[in-house]
Amino acid sequence: SAKEGGRNRYQFYSEDMTVRAIERLSLEHDLRGAAQRGEIFMVYQPQIELATNRIIGAEVLMRWRHPTQGLIAPARFIPIAEDSGLILVIGEWILVEACRQAQQWRDRGLLDASVSVNVSAIQFRQNDFVRVVERAINLSGISPDCLELELTESVVMQGIDSTEQKLQELDALGVKVAIDDFGTGYSSLSYLQQFTVDRLKIDQSFVRDLPGNIDAAAIATAIVAMGLSLGLRIIAEGVETEAQAEFLQSVLCKEGQGYLYARPMEADEFEAWVAAWEQQVKNKS
Ligand code: C2E
Ligand code: MG
Ligand code: MG
Ligand code: MG
């Protein structure tokens, strides 16, 4: 009967949900101590000045190599890290390591560029977040303006007063702030003007359909024009084709990041890529 069917369906969903809850709990369990065991590591993706092809920065992205499940994407484990509070420990570790790596590259004369670190809402909302950032800077000896923090629109627009105060403290520290995935959330233009942010990252969902899609082209063009008029730097993420890079340049977006240049790479691979890339840029100019 229909009723029985309904009950079976209910049981099916319920079991399914239980399985997922158990999976999640077990991942959360595994995530504890994952950084100390060396399972969490960082990959680096270059940021490029479109007109010159110079490397102007590197975004740090987190990876988890699970002992039995293999590589787990951030989209799967970061929400678990956030819900469990583990993101605080892992996030601080990433900040310290990213600054240390950037300073080491600078000391070795390998790379004169900034590093961008993603910061989750839970981290940013911490009372002592600015102290955490300051500690990472002091431990590494990095120049503060070589560190950029990437915050999403929703993080910035949540709790406006405390956001503004933290952004001012970060600015006083000399650290840069970028708004990640720009265009996917809703930020108020007046706050954008009021907040001390340095850069907008055009979300890859708009870049993907460039240059052919009229709507994507209109949105990308508008974001650049608005950002420039507010005195912000603009970088496009998810640049995969020359046609996209050319379109972006034509609407005065000067910076890009994406598979067209390189995928995110582990430190040693990134170093080799940088050396080869710079040789190529030199040969062309
Ligand atoms: P995001 O910060 O917007 O990072 C950009 C994502 O796009 C990365 O995915 C990157 O690998 C991917 N990507 C780069 N170039 C291209 C391209 O040309 N085409 C396409 N299709 N994708 C490209 P990933 O590494 O899987 O990271 C996903 C998200 O996870 C990040 O989005 C960020 O929100 C979060 N995340 C990553 N690492 C961290 C971290 O250390 N801390 C925190 N809080 N979040 C992180
Ligand atoms: Mg990012
Ligand atoms: Mg992004
Ligand atoms: Mg994203």
Side-chain angles (χ1 to χ4, degrees), residues 115-188:
V115 280
S116 302
V117 177
N118 293 285
V119 171
S120 98
I122 314 275
Q123 282 177 281
F124 188 69
R125 291 282 155 242
Q126 265 180 296
N127 284 330
D128 66 342
F129 176 68
V130 179
R131 296 288 84 74
V132 170
V133 173
E134 197 172 15
R135 236 176 1 245
I137 289 168
N138 291 339
L139 274 173
S140 62
I142 193 180
S143 162
D145 63 352
C146 291
L147 174 63
E148 180 178 70
L149 305 175
E150 296 193 3
L151 305 168
T152 60
E153 279 171 286
S154 58
V155 173
V156 172
M157 289 299 144
Q158 198 181 91
I160 302 286
D161 289 344
S162 67
T163 294
E164 181 161 27
Q165 202 196 325
K166 282 205 176 93
L167 291 178
Q168 274 167 10
E169 285 173 27
L170 289 170
D171 188 49
L173 205 60
V175 169
K176 305 289 178 202
V177 170
I179 306 213
D180 204 352
D181 304 342
F182 190 79
T184 57
Y186 47 95
S187 22
S188 146

Side-chain angles (χ1 to χ4, degrees), residues 210-282:
L210 295 178
N213 183 292
I214 294 174
D215 294 333
I219 291 169
T221 306
I223 292 175
V224 177
M226 184 208 61
L228 289 180
S229 73
L230 291 174
L232 303 174
R233 290 169 66 190
I234 324 282
I235 185 166
E237 55 179 26
V239 181
E240 295 186 355
T241 69
E242 288 289 355
Q244 290 167 348
E246 274 164 29
F247 176 87
L248 287 161
Q249 273 189 272
S250 77
V251 299
L252 304 179
C253 175
K254 298 187 183 68
E255 305 170 356
Q257 176 184 345
Y259 298 163
L260 174 62
Y261 307 103
R263 288 180 179 264
M265 296 164 280
E266 287 189 59
D268 50 353
E269 195 189 343
F270 180 79
E271 291 173 15
W273 181 89
V274 167
W277 182 266
E278 288 191 332
Q279 195 55 49
Q280 213 184 344
V281 170
K282 216 181 290 164

Side-chain angles (χ1 to χ4, degrees), residues 16 26-27 50 77 82 105 122-123 129 206 210 238 247 251 277 285:
D16 192 47
S26 116
L27 272 190
L50 299 174
F77 74 84
E82 287 177 333
W105 281 333
I122 314 275
Q123 282 177 281
F129 176 68
F206 305 118
L210 295 178
F247 176 87
V251 299
W277 182 266
S285 63

